[in-house]
Amino acid sequence: MDGEIDPEELASLLDEADADAGGGTDGGTDAGEATDGLRIVDIRDQRAFDRGHLPESECIPFPELTTRIAELEGADRIVTVCPHGVASQQAAQLIGSYAGTQAARVESLRGGIEAWQRDAGELIPTDDAESADATAGDADEGPDAPF
């Protein structure tokens, strides 16, 4: 792990890449299309990711990270993201120890999504998230009781 990256610095990297590409960040980027070797890995579960995530990010939930880490091979820079920036430090250490990503710069987003929203920008919902939330109720309540 190469440390932490501030939300403003990550936003600046995304803005630079967006300017180089000549387009706007639409939030519709699929996993693997992130900017020129930069991979932003959100380690929250898919439901939380769908409600709102950083631009250009992809969802690889922490419990799946060890089985999906090979997906990150070839990245030049990897930034891990979680709600408060704690679990993403552990994820960054795990990713940095993998042989296929040892050449990459691996960082955790300092302060996590909370800091991103405060200091850098809005979260982008996945297209289906609004309709799913309407039927799911409060997603932070955990799974439904079996009875």
Side-chain angles (χ1 to χ4, degrees):
M1 181 172 130
D2 296 305
E4 294 180 301
I5 184 171
D6 289 317
E8 299 90 351
E9 184 180 351
L10 181 56
S12 177
L13 286 173
L14 290 170
D15 288 344
E16 288 172 20
D18 188 40
D20 290 345
T25 301
D26 64 2
T29 299
D30 291 333
E33 289 183 26
T35 327
D36 294 340
L38 171 65
R39 303 281 296 269
I40 303 171
V41 179
D42 190 321
I43 63 166
R44 297 174 301 150
D45 65 43
Q46 187 68 50
R47 207 158 134 185
F49 179 85
D50 288 345
R51 282 195 316 269
H53 54 270
L54 274 63
E56 307 291 334
S57 64
E58 59 193 283
C59 181
I60 302 179
F62 193 80
E64 299 174 17
L65 195 54
T66 56
T67 59
R68 295 182 57 191
I69 200 164
E71 295 175 24
L72 302 173
E73 285 184 19
D76 297 323
R77 190 170 192 176
I78 301 167
V79 177
T80 56
V81 178
C82 72
H84 305 290
V86 178
S88 60
Q89 290 178 10
Q90 294 172 336
Q93 288 175 344
L94 175 66
I95 292 168
S97 69
Y98 178 67
T101 58
Q102 286 183 337
R105 181 174 179 177
V106 183
E107 302 164 295
S108 171
L109 180 63
R110 179 177 286 122
I113 289 185
E114 182 178 292
W116 174 268
Q117 288 181 292
R118 181 186 64 233
D119 300 336
E122 300 279 322
L123 297 179
I124 301 167
T126 302
D127 293 337
D128 301 352
E130 289 181 25
S131 60
D133 277 348
T135 59
D138 188 357
D140 292 332
E141 291 294 322
D144 292 332
F147 44 89

